[in-house]
Amino acid sequence: MLDFARGPAFEAALAIMTFGIAWRLAGIFALARSVDRSEPRSRFSGLRGLRIILSRSWPRAEFRERVLEWDIVGYLFHIGYAVAFLGYAPHILLIRNLFGLRWPGLPGGIIAFAAGVSAASLLALLGHRLSSPVLRQLSNFDDYFTWLVTFAPLVTGLMAYYGIGADFQLMLGLHIFSADILFVWLPFGKLMHVILLVFSRGTTGAAYGRRGAPV
């Protein structure tokens, strides 16, 4: 299991992810765009595009009372996930082997804490989705499967780290295999937002800036 997960399965997952991301980006850039012939009201629309990437990362005052706590939970999930992925020494070694980049790793206790916070936040977000009538109606297979493939590497990694469940090598194999599935799914589900977020918000901000709309 371990040899398969970190060998053929990992190589295939990287190939599918790379092709899928390239395919999605090529399709987006190839879309026909209407020409805006109106006179721009701002010469700094590009700067507006950069500004909206940051301004839309926090809820507007009108909605803050209702959504702020869940925005914070969402940030805890993302920050914890980033720390667990980018701060763990074996992950850094993998990145170095793939891209030649490296940086100092964090202590294992910090990594485990970050992964635990991220996993707990994901569980809270799932509970919120299931208990909210509106979110439950808006949710589809993509939402739940994306949650599952995001959650699985966290919980299997924690189980392997603490020696919970099956033999360590089996748990490590399950952890790597769950990451392989996440890589394969990334270009085709809502996980693709990690790539498209900057493009979509930047384009929206530039369009708003051209029209003189506040961002």
Side-chain angles (χ1 to χ4, degrees):
M1 176 66 181
L2 179 57
D3 290 339
F4 173 73
R6 66 184 179 186
F10 179 70
E11 294 172 359
L14 282 184
I16 293 172
M17 181 181 69
T18 302
F19 174 79
I21 291 174
W23 180 267
R24 289 287 303 274
L25 291 177
I28 291 171
F29 288 123
L31 290 173
R33 293 172 176 80
S34 58
V35 179
D36 190 346
R37 303 185 185 278
S38 63
E39 182 178 352
R41 297 186 179 182
S42 172
R43 294 178 300 167
F44 305 104
S45 59
L47 294 177
R48 296 290 187 92
L50 294 176
R51 181 181 173 186
I52 202 173
I53 294 172
L54 299 175
S55 66
R56 292 299 186 267
S57 297
W58 196 248
R60 295 180 65 89
E62 298 92 325
F63 310 108
R64 200 166 293 160
E65 184 178 347
R66 290 191 296 173
V67 303
L68 180 59
E69 60 181 314
W70 292 110
D71 272 35
I72 293 174
V73 174
Y75 273 109
L76 288 174
F77 149 60
H78 284 90
I79 293 171
Y81 215 98
V83 170
F85 178 67
L86 298 175
Y88 193 39
H91 297 165
I92 298 171
L93 179 61
L94 172 64
I95 294 171
R96 188 193 70 179
N97 291 337
L98 291 174
F99 305 108
L101 303 174
R102 65 178 304 173
W103 50 85
L106 296 173
I110 294 179
I111 299 300
F113 177 76
V117 168
S118 186
S121 300
L122 269 175
L123 287 171
L125 290 168
L126 177 63
H128 178 54
R129 181 180 294 275
L130 292 173
S131 62
S132 169
V134 175
L135 287 178
R136 196 167 59 246
Q137 287 292 325
L138 294 175
S139 300
N140 54 23
F141 171 81
D142 190 347
D143 294 287
Y144 294 113
F145 189 71
T146 295
W147 182 93
L148 178 62
V149 300
T150 305
F151 182 75
L154 285 173
V155 68
T156 53
L158 285 169
M159 292 176 70
Y161 181 80
Y162 285 109
I164 300 173
D167 174 75
F168 172 77
Q169 288 198 344
L170 177 58
M171 288 308 308
L172 181 60
L174 289 173
H175 171 64
I176 298 174
F177 189 68
S178 66
D180 295 340
I181 296 174
L182 184 148
F183 292 154
V184 170
W185 180 248
L186 189 150
F188 307 107
K190 292 185 177 179
L191 278 175
M192 186 63 182
H193 79 272
V194 301
I195 306 294
L196 297 180
L197 177 67
V198 173
F199 295 102
S200 61
R201 286 189 179 175
T203 302
T204 302
Y208 283 3
R210 178 183 176 87
R211 298 168 187 172
V215 296

